[in-house]
Amino acid sequence: MSEQYEVLAVRYGTRQATAAEVFLNYHAYREPDRPLGMDYFFWVARNPARTVVIDTGFSPASGAARGRTMLMDTVAALRAAGIAPDEVAQVVLTHAHYDHVGGLPVFTGTDAEIIMTRDEYDFWTGPMGRRGQFTHTTEASELDWLRALREAGRLTLAGQSHPIAPGLELTQVGGHTPGQAVVTVAAAGGPVVLASDAVHYYEELERDRPFSTVANLADMYAAFDQIREMGDGGARVVAGHDPLVAERFGGPADAPGVIRITRD
Ligand SMILES: [Zn+2]
């Protein structure tokens, strides 16, 4: 039997957005604008043998600079999920945006292996990542952390597909960022796909509507196809920023902000 995990989504931040901010070229749909809440999550896959954290949240400073509401910092959010940083074996970064890598310092003093795709690392540490429409989604100091981790031999760079651990697989899909990854987790009742920002909102998948922040539109559409196929095959897809995650998976929370994706 393959190894299985319990999966949690930890909601550590939120903001009020609008459909026109969220969806690429929203005017093309000829619909009135509407308010749309945006939640900020990271994810946990754990079993008795191992705890893996997928993404780390934004830092208090980078969240505040963008007007986001931080509900819990990374340490408090981990604690809410019942995790101490030094218990974490691996940290997967689905991409390098500020709201996914900003909590990394919590893990720099631990032995955790940090994993991201090579394409993502190369893009953001290279010249194109500094162009205006890209750079505002990252923090230069946080990209320096990635460089330092790499130099220290702490950062594993993954290819298109990478086995993180038994029952845990990273798949690069691109689109939102050049090396955007999703993580598939073996769980009781079937696999869970942590889509992160390959699918911010279920509406992207269900109405085929790309998100406004995009590195390659054709890749984003192709990622929708790939993730839909995973869903059609029985996987539970967890969107990266959608308040519907709490509705679709919520039940009694383990703690405020902790949504249990898997229930035995
Ligand atoms: Zn992103």
Side-chain angles (χ1 to χ4, degrees):
M1 196 180 94
S2 70
E3 212 164 329
Q4 296 187 334
Y5 296 81
E6 73 170 336
V7 183
L8 306 173
V10 183
R11 176 178 176 266
Y12 71 90
T14 191
R15 76 165 166 126
Q16 188 59 53
T18 69
E21 287 176 284
V22 160
F23 296 110
L24 181 70
N25 295 325
Y26 184 69
H27 57 84
Y29 307 120
R30 298 175 184 272
E31 292 173 15
D33 200 7
R34 59 194 147 95
L36 209 49
M38 181 177 286
D39 284 343
Y40 292 79
F41 299 97
F42 62 80
W43 303 272
V44 173
R46 69 179 169 197
N47 64 21
R50 152 188 321 267
T51 297
V52 177
V53 171
I54 297 96
D55 291 335
T56 67
F58 54 63
S59 75
S62 67
R66 293 169 173 83
R68 311 317 189 218
T69 300
M70 179 173 249
L71 302 169
M72 297 183 274
D73 68 21
T74 306
V75 171
L78 286 168
R79 195 184 307 126
I83 296 165
D86 59 10
E87 292 167 32
V88 176
Q90 289 154 307
V91 177
V92 181
L93 302 174
T94 63
H95 62 301
H97 282 167
Y98 79 97
D99 53 328
H100 297 258
V101 304
L104 261 180
V106 169
F107 300 102
T108 47
T110 74
D111 295 330
E113 177 192 18
I114 318 288
I115 304 168
M116 69 188 301
T117 70
R118 178 177 294 282
D119 284 350
E120 187 73 2
Y121 179 84
D122 287 348
F123 179 81
W124 292 106
T125 54
M128 187 57 80
R130 293 197 290 273
R131 305 292 279 268
Q133 284 291 323
F134 287 119
T135 192
H136 73 97
T137 58
T138 58
E139 294 284 335
S141 59
E142 296 176 358
L143 300 177
D144 284 342
W145 299 343
L146 298 178
R147 290 186 183 94
L149 284 166
R150 182 67 181 155
E151 277 164 27
R154 292 277 312 277
L155 180 64
T156 300
L157 297 181
Q160 292 286 321
S161 163
H162 180 83
I164 299 160
L168 267 178
E169 176 102 15
L170 172 152
T171 305
Q172 180 174 323
V173 296
H176 175 62
T177 60
Q180 169 78 51
V182 304
V183 175
T184 307
V185 187
V192 171
V193 177
L194 299 173
S196 181
D197 288 6
V199 180
H200 293 69
Y201 287 87
Y202 288 106
E203 187 169 340
E204 293 165 39
L205 275 189
E206 291 163 6
R207 303 185 74 184
D208 208 30
R209 293 184 162 180
F211 189 77
S212 54
T213 303
V214 54
N216 182 310
L217 182 55
D219 286 353
M220 185 176 278
Y221 275 126
F224 290 172
D225 291 344
Q226 197 174 342
I227 292 164
R228 271 192 214 107
E229 212 167 283
M230 292 169 166
D232 291 346
R236 287 159 282 179
V237 176
V238 181
H241 287 270
D242 198 332
L244 284 175
V245 169
E247 266 180 50
R248 292 189 180 191
F249 296 98
D254 288 13
V258 179
I259 300 161
R260 183 172 290 276
I261 303 299
T262 52
R263 291 176 188 281
D264 292 339

